[in-house]
Amino acid sequence: MTVVGVGADGWAGLAPVARRALAAAEVVVGSTRQLDLLPAACAAERVAWPTPLLPAVAPLLAAHADKRLCVLASGDPMFFGIGATLARHTAVHVLPHPSSASLACARMGWALDRVTVVSTVARPVERLHSALHPGSRVLVLSEGEATPAAVAELVTARGFGASPMTVLSDLGSPDEDVLRATAATWAGRVSPLNVIAVECVADPGARLLPAVPGLPDDVYEHDGQITKREVRALTVSSLAPEPGQLLWDVGAGSGSVGIEWSRVDPTCRAIAVEPRADRADRVERNAAALGVPELRLVRGAAPAALADLPTPDAVFVGGGVTVDGVVDACWDALRPGGRVVVNAVTLESEALVARWHAAVGGALTRLSVARAAPIGGFTGWRQAMPITQWVAVKPAGPESGEDQ
Ligand SMILES: C[S@@+](CC[C@H](N)C(=O)[O-])C[C@H]1O[C@@H](n2cnc3c(N)ncnc32)[C@H](O)[C@@H]1O
């Protein structure tokens, strides 16, 4: 199968090799808009993708398995495109066209390798929060004509209203258009096919949110049940996130640990488990406000709520530690080689992690944080409750748990 990238300039913009592939095809699959770009002389049977597209991919490939098949993709098929999806099903021969990001960078004079690309196509625009850093250049792939206004509002509310914002629409077509404003002054109307280039400029006093774990406690909405900044930084460090890995944050509270795990890399995923409805609502709001709206929330209590969740690479237990079966369920579910981190605050939870440590090993660490605070006219140390942190790596091979 050949996947042909096509631009807004249609047939006229295709390289000879792409034209030959389409001319030789027996079946061409694409969106109605893409199929309409083909000349009448292109005699192949034309099949439009149904909606939703993903469930249709495997049956459609099977139905045309014995034919010379071409699939049309917009721009570069391997850049947020159908080509990457098809490559998971079958061997593909890809003929790329410049992507929307390549064209936008060409128009902006930006180095493509230095921009952060955020797609809002079928994804929440709040993902942009974690890409806003002073001096960063961000390209937003738009969902449609309403996206520029949503981006302008989010960027301005985050304290980057002065950022130059350029909306490039219908790139590569005769209708190509470029509108410039700042995020705070954006008021344009554009076609649905657009990308947005944001050059991040922080307003004076803007709250900056670096990607490293240990964000200030007050960037979270919380009711006091939050793993405090210093302990959180050490906790995420102990969890040791790697790109693509999945965390269970059990007893998520405000969601801070799962959120900071997810902010380490756009491919890191987290499931927050929280039984209290008010806290679960906060987890959702915090995740959206801090740029990881795709964090999955399970409303329920462990261990029952853990059944049927996908296998984690790491588990953090911040609540429900002494509830019967919670640590056992986490340990059992963890993939071999995965990490478990349990923060114990009470004598009872400390006794439990000590038993687990004796049974399966790992490291026990005592964390004690004091913050300077006013005492009358003086300043003194205000000691937070000490925390016993147990970190263990599940051995590869046969089951090695204990009876608790
Ligand atoms: C100390 S807070 C965790 C703080 C959290 N790591 C944060 O930074 O926001 C403990 C949380 O565990 C939750 N919890 C208690 N028992 C639980 C259980 N069996 N399953 C899941 N969560 C539980 C509580 O509702 C509370 O929100």
Side-chain angles (χ1 to χ4, degrees):
M1 182 210 311
T2 304
V3 188
V4 179
V6 54
D9 49 356
W11 186 258
L14 287 181
V17 63
R19 291 184 181 194
R20 280 198 299 276
L22 286 163
E26 293 169 283
V27 177
V28 179
V29 184
S31 69
T32 312
R33 187 181 60 80
Q34 289 163 342
L35 292 170
D36 287 346
L37 295 171
L38 298 180
C42 194
E45 180 192 348
R46 300 177 184 202
V47 179
W49 284 114
T51 321
L53 185 150
L54 283 183
V57 169
L60 210 130
L61 293 184
H64 300 293
D66 56 344
K67 310 244 178 65
R68 280 192 304 280
L69 182 61
C70 267
V71 173
L72 296 175
S74 53
D76 184 339
M78 307 308 279
F79 180 75
F80 295 98
I82 185 75
T85 308
L86 293 170
R88 288 199 294 271
H89 289 265
T90 183
V92 290
H93 178 56
V94 180
L95 300 173
H97 193 83
S99 67
S100 54
S102 296
L103 291 173
C105 282
R107 304 297 185 265
M108 297 295 297
W110 286 6
L112 179 57
D113 54 305
R114 299 296 298 272
V115 302
T116 306
V117 178
V118 177
S119 174
T120 64
V121 179
R123 291 164 172 168
V125 71
E126 286 82 4
R127 301 173 90 230
L128 190 53
H129 278 296
S130 45
L132 300 177
H133 305 286
S136 287
R137 289 174 161 175
V138 182
L139 270 186
V140 182
L141 307 186
S142 283
E143 170 82 340
E145 58 198 354
T147 310
V151 165
E153 191 183 331
L154 183 151
V155 170
T156 304
R158 174 54 75 198
F160 284 82
S163 305
M165 176 169 145
T166 307
V167 182
L168 307 106
S169 47
D170 296 313
L171 280 165
S173 86
D175 299 327
E176 180 171 323
D177 198 12
V178 177
L179 292 180
R180 295 175 209 277
T182 63
T185 58
W186 170 258
R189 286 176 63 85
V190 289
S191 106
L193 294 182
N194 66 79
V195 293
I196 306 161
V198 182
E199 193 147 20
C200 297
V201 177
D203 300 334
R207 198 77 197 261
L208 303 181
L209 302 174
V212 290
L215 293 176
D217 296 342
D218 67 358
V219 304
Y220 292 92
E221 222 189 295
H222 66 88
D223 59 4
Q225 290 291 302
I226 181 167
T227 303
K228 303 295 182 293
R229 175 189 190 158
E230 299 81 358
V231 172
R232 192 179 336 116
L234 291 168
T235 300
V236 178
S237 155
S238 299
L239 287 165
E242 294 283 349
Q245 291 198 330
L246 173 68
L247 171 77
W248 288 1
D249 180 7
V250 179
S254 66
S256 71
V257 173
I259 288 169
E260 295 195 7
W261 164 285
S262 304
R263 285 172 57 87
V264 166
D265 185 89
T267 62
C268 285
R269 297 161 299 131
I271 302 177
V273 180
E274 175 55 51
R276 271 196 36 180
D278 55 340
R279 292 188 184 147
D281 290 345
R282 272 188 214 107
V283 171
E284 282 186 329
R285 290 196 293 272
N286 284 329
L290 294 168
V292 290
E294 287 150 300
L295 178 134
R296 181 174 160 197
L297 173 66
V298 173
R299 294 168 183 266
L306 306 176
D308 305 328
L309 296 184
T311 301
D313 299 289
V315 180
F316 174 59
V317 189
V321 176
T322 55
V323 174
D324 248 7
V326 167
V327 180
D328 305 66
C330 294
W331 184 258
D332 290 347
L334 196 59
R335 72 154 171 81
R339 288 88 60 205
V340 67
V341 177
V342 182
N343 285 358
V345 186
T346 63
L347 288 178
E348 291 76 9
S349 53
E350 192 177 68
L352 185 137
V353 297
R355 287 203 301 280
W356 272 93
H357 175 255
V360 305
L364 280 176
T365 308
R366 196 98 199 284
L367 305 174
S368 180
V369 174
R371 290 178 177 171
I375 305 178
F378 298 94
T379 306
W381 294 112
R382 187 149 290 151
Q383 190 73 43
M385 288 171 83
I387 289 180
T388 301
Q389 182 174 86
W390 174 55
V391 182
V393 176
K394 185 168 173 176
E399 176 57 64
S400 57
E402 61 155 3
D403 292 322
Q404 286 283 314

